[in-house]
Amino acid sequence: MTRTVRFHELGGPDVLRIEDVEVGAPGPGELLVRVDAIGLNRAEALFRSGNYIESVKEFPARLGTEAAGVVEAVGARVSGFAAGQPVGVIPAFSMNDHGVYAERAIVPAHAVLHRPEGLDAVTGAAVWMPYLTAYGALVEVGGMRAGDTVVLTAASSSVGLAAIRTARRVGATPLATTRSPAKKDALLAAGAAEVIVTDEEDVAARVLELTAGRGAEFVFDAVAGPGVRDLARAVAPGGTLFLYGALSGEPTPYPGFDLGMPALNMRTNTVTRETTADPERLRRAAQFVTSGLSGGAFAPVVDRVFGLDEIVAAHRYLEAGSQIGKIVVTVDH
């Protein structure tokens, strides 16, 4: 039996329970991983509360798609992995099928990467989802390159911080936005060229000022909702407004007609459907991230660490939204 976080109904953090569950052996194409640290993501809070892009199919339900640990057993038709190897689990499956909020978890082998040297379990649980998300959308799909400008909302999130460094690595200029002036110095230290405090400044006007009226080639937005009207005004002709999250929880309009039908591209992007589901994209993304880590251009940013027994408190902290970087939950064995 292994201690596993499950929930039997939709709701807030208090619905989470730690229960003893039989794990079993990995099947064909699967690995059994001893989980040492778990990276928390906003998607898990949305899934738990019934507000995610995918609904819970049955209860009790599991959570978690990102973790660091060690391979304990290898299923049939799996190559490239052996017991004892340190690995990272990446978002590449449905939480209706697997979950890593546990002492041990069975996961598909295609959702596992070897842990880069220099990363312990905590930092190993904080690196893959943010950088794969930023790289997959902005570089693979968007084609971001040197000289481009990218506006980043929710810039103090783990994905936002990874996007700042990803932009810097390809020679683009990252403009960070935040609601709180208290986060401005941290975002500048992380590499943002400028920080726009949305409660105090007009985002579009400031972006146009910083780009000599051109606008940004990319806006990378985690919020969505009615605010996309203002963000669209900051997009350069032919540029792209990426929506990779929906933190606002409100309907999201297409603002092109309101703005007089500019050459505006607006699309959604999810790491699980466009990056980790494509073996070649994932191979390139993993190499991009690994080389960035080894060269010092990239680094995991961990805001706070909780223990598995504190999973409810960890989810409350996640929902409060005050963190800068990743929230990680460690698992004692």
Side-chain angles (χ1 to χ4, degrees):
M1 304 294 281
T2 188
R3 297 169 74 231
T4 302
V5 176
R6 302 198 296 183
F7 58 105
H8 295 252
E9 60 181 328
L10 300 177
D14 289 337
V15 302
L16 299 177
R17 301 283 183 270
I18 298 178
E19 301 173 338
D20 289 328
V21 177
E22 185 66 46
V23 177
E30 295 179 332
L31 296 171
L32 173 62
V33 174
R34 185 195 76 205
V35 177
D36 295 323
I38 303 158
L40 267 57
N41 295 302
R42 181 70 63 171
E44 289 131 35
L46 295 173
F47 188 70
R48 183 208 69 225
S49 61
N51 296 305
Y52 191 48
I53 56 174
E54 181 181 14
S55 300
V56 175
K57 290 184 178 178
E58 64 178 1
F59 293 106
R62 293 166 290 189
L63 280 174
T65 60
E66 184 177 22
V70 175
V71 175
E72 286 201 336
V74 179
R77 299 198 297 273
V78 174
S79 60
F81 294 99
Q85 291 180 329
V87 294
V89 181
I90 63 173
F93 51 82
S94 167
M95 286 182 280
N96 280 308
D97 300 324
H98 304 277
V100 297
Y101 280 25
E103 293 176 324
R104 287 171 175 77
I106 292 176
V107 292
H110 70 255
V112 179
L113 297 173
H114 293 284
R115 191 190 308 168
E117 290 187 14
L119 296 183
D120 58 16
V122 170
T123 53
V127 70
W128 285 117
M129 189 284 295
Y131 281 100
L132 293 178
T133 300
Y135 169 87
L138 294 172
V139 179
E140 282 283 345
V141 177
M144 182 176 64
R145 57 190 176 182
D148 287 341
T149 297
V150 56
V151 176
L152 307 167
T153 69
S156 60
S157 68
S158 59
V159 174
L161 295 172
I164 289 173
R165 296 197 178 196
T166 297
R168 286 292 192 186
R169 184 135 194 261
V170 302
T173 299
L175 305 179
T177 76
T178 178
R179 290 180 299 174
S180 171
K183 294 182 177 181
K184 186 171 183 176
D185 288 344
L187 291 171
L188 290 171
E194 297 282 348
V195 176
I196 303 169
V197 180
T198 58
D199 287 347
E200 301 174 354
E201 303 175 80
D202 182 308
V203 174
R206 184 70 175 129
V207 171
L208 292 172
E209 177 187 351
L210 291 168
T211 57
R214 185 184 77 252
E217 282 72 26
F218 301 99
V219 172
F220 196 44
D221 179 36
V223 181
V228 298
R229 293 189 179 95
D230 291 329
L231 290 175
R233 293 170 44 228
V235 179
T240 300
L241 170 53
F242 279 107
L243 304 177
Y244 73 94
L247 297 179
S248 74
E250 299 181 62
T252 302
Y254 175 74
F257 295 108
D258 293 341
L259 298 179
M261 298 179 68
L264 171 68
N265 303 303
M266 180 173 163
R267 75 188 307 280
T268 55
N269 180 272
T270 63
V271 66
T272 54
R273 293 176 178 175
E274 296 197 62
T275 302
T276 61
D278 183 319
E280 278 303 296
R281 278 189 179 175
L282 177 57
R283 180 186 64 79
R284 292 191 294 266
Q287 178 58 34
F288 182 82
V289 177
T290 301
S291 64
L293 289 168
S294 63
F298 296 161
V301 179
V302 177
D303 177 274
R304 186 168 169 183
V305 177
F306 292 83
L308 186 63
D309 288 334
E310 300 174 295
I311 191 63
V312 171
H315 263 241
R316 287 180 183 145
Y317 187 67
L318 173 68
E319 292 192 336
S322 61
Q323 71 271 19
I324 297 176
K326 197 78 168 179
I327 301 166
V328 175
V329 171
T330 56
V331 183
D332 292 329
H333 294 278

